[in-house]
């Protein structure tokens, strides 16, 4: 079992905590090492996007997991479950997960996860959790609405809670991850559209039908074909 948070490397400002953690992982830093920062100058999001947050108001952390083993196959789904539980231990919010790994509260994005890995040597688990960002402080060009934990929660308390829950979820069996993901699945039974899914399913729309044992998103296309999405970006189609 990996415990997270020791050693911890904190900086007031870095380019990207994922980048710093990646360099440490290459140098052989131990599993459980956590890199945090008050601010990032070049924070990275999924699909090559940037990620920004006002200084000191978001949890910006990257945890090293090494080595990667078979039981980590569903890590991308396990990490947002850890974040959901951490948030719910700190504030009266009920979180959901939007496949593959956005954490949502009331259909607004509370946290994003970016995992960068060099299997089987290591993975860097990057988490950006909006802790105390006021509604007017989010960038104006966000692709989807965002929200913070609020409730007077402190970034350091959020880090402690996230590290604790990561310990539980990182090594959870795939069956347990799928079962818990299913309970928190924000897309299940809803109409969605997707892009960049590969496998001849570059883009399309249909009904989300949960995740399979490999962590893929099951969909029934508008043409009535069952499909399993292993990558890409999905969006809810407004009701
Ligand atoms: C996403 O939803 O696109 C993923 C966002 C991940 C952002 C976090 S912030 C801490 C860590 N360092 C980075 O550069 N990115 C991740």
């Amino acid at each position: 079992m990996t415990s997270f948070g020791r050693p911890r490397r904190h900086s007031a400002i870095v380019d990207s905590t994922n980048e710093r953690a990646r360099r440490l992982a290459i140098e052989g830093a131990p599993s459980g090492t956590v890199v945090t920062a008050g601010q990032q100058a070049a924070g990275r999001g999924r699909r090559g996007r940037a990620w920004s947050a006002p200084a000191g108001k978001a949890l910006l952390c990257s945890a090293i997991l090494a080595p990667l083993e078979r039981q980590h196959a569903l890590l991308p789904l396990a990490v947002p479950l850890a974040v959901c539980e951490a948030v719910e231990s700190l504030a009266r919010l009920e979180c959901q997960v939007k496949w593959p790994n956005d954490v949502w509260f009331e259909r607004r994005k509370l946290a994003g996860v970016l995992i960068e890995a060099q299997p089987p040597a290591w993975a860097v688990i990057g988490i950006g959790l909006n802790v105390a960002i006021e509604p007017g402080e989010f960038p104006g060009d966000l692709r989807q609405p965002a929200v913070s934990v609020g409730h007077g929660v402190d970034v350091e308390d959020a880090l402690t809670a996230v590290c604790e829950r990561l310990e539980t979820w990182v090594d959870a069996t795939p069956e347990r991850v799928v079962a818990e993901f299913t309970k928190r699945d924000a897309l299940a039974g809803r109409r969605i559209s997707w892009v960049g899914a590969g496998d001849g399913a570059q883009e399309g729309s249909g009904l989300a039908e949960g995740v399979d044992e490999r962590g893929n998103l099951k969909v029934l296309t508008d043409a009535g074909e069952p499909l399993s999405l292993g990558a890409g970006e999905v969006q809810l189609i407004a009701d």
Side-chain angles (χ1 to χ4, degrees):
M1 189 160 108
T2 309
S3 75
F4 291 93
R6 277 202 192 91
R8 174 175 173 199
R9 301 274 177 261
H10 179 80
S11 328
I13 180 161
V14 286
D15 45 3
S16 150
T17 56
N18 264 35
E19 180 54 28
R20 188 171 182 206
R22 194 184 68 83
R23 290 193 298 260
L24 289 170
I26 291 168
E27 288 162 13
S31 196
T33 299
V34 168
V35 174
T36 55
Q39 202 181 351
Q40 297 181 120
R44 303 205 279 251
R46 290 183 65 230
R47 301 177 68 76
R49 298 194 182 101
W51 176 273
S52 69
K57 297 192 171 186
L59 173 63
L60 307 169
C61 73
S62 300
I64 295 173
L65 177 65
L68 275 173
E69 286 163 357
R70 273 175 55 139
Q71 81 263 25
H72 300 130
L74 295 196
L75 189 65
L77 270 56
V79 172
L81 299 177
V83 176
C84 286
E85 286 192 355
V87 168
E88 290 171 359
S89 75
L90 296 167
R92 291 173 71 84
L93 303 181
E94 282 187 14
C95 300
Q96 288 192 301
V97 185
K98 178 201 165 221
W99 184 88
N101 48 29
D102 284 354
V103 176
W104 274 10
F105 170 62
E106 294 180 341
R107 292 204 198 173
R108 288 177 292 170
K109 185 160 169 169
L110 198 53
V113 173
L114 176 67
I115 298 178
E116 297 178 292
Q118 190 174 293
W122 51 262
V124 165
I125 302 167
I127 299 169
L129 169 63
N130 303 326
V131 176
I133 306 176
E134 300 295 333
E137 292 179 307
F138 287 108
D141 57 351
L142 281 185
R143 297 168 49 261
Q144 52 183 323
V147 66
S148 282
V149 177
H151 294 76
V153 169
D154 182 54
V155 172
E156 280 301 303
D157 293 339
L159 174 66
T160 306
V162 164
C163 286
E164 264 175 34
R165 305 297 160 146
L166 274 180
E167 209 165 303
T168 308
W169 280 104
V170 154
D171 289 322
T173 62
E175 293 75 21
R176 199 165 153 232
V177 172
V178 169
E180 183 64 18
F181 195 97
T182 301
K183 290 188 203 155
R184 294 188 182 272
D185 187 348
L187 302 180
R190 311 200 81 96
R191 286 209 66 229
I192 58 164
S193 61
W194 60 88
V195 289
D199 296 342
Q202 268 305 318
E203 55 181 68
S205 57
L207 196 65
E209 296 190 317
V211 294
D212 66 18
E213 72 290 347
R214 288 183 302 155
N216 292 341
L217 185 68
K218 295 184 288 180
V219 293
L220 185 66
T221 68
D222 288 340
E225 299 284 338
L227 204 69
S228 133
L229 306 181
E233 177 90 351
V234 294
Q235 294 294 332
L236 272 181
I237 295 177
D239 297 329

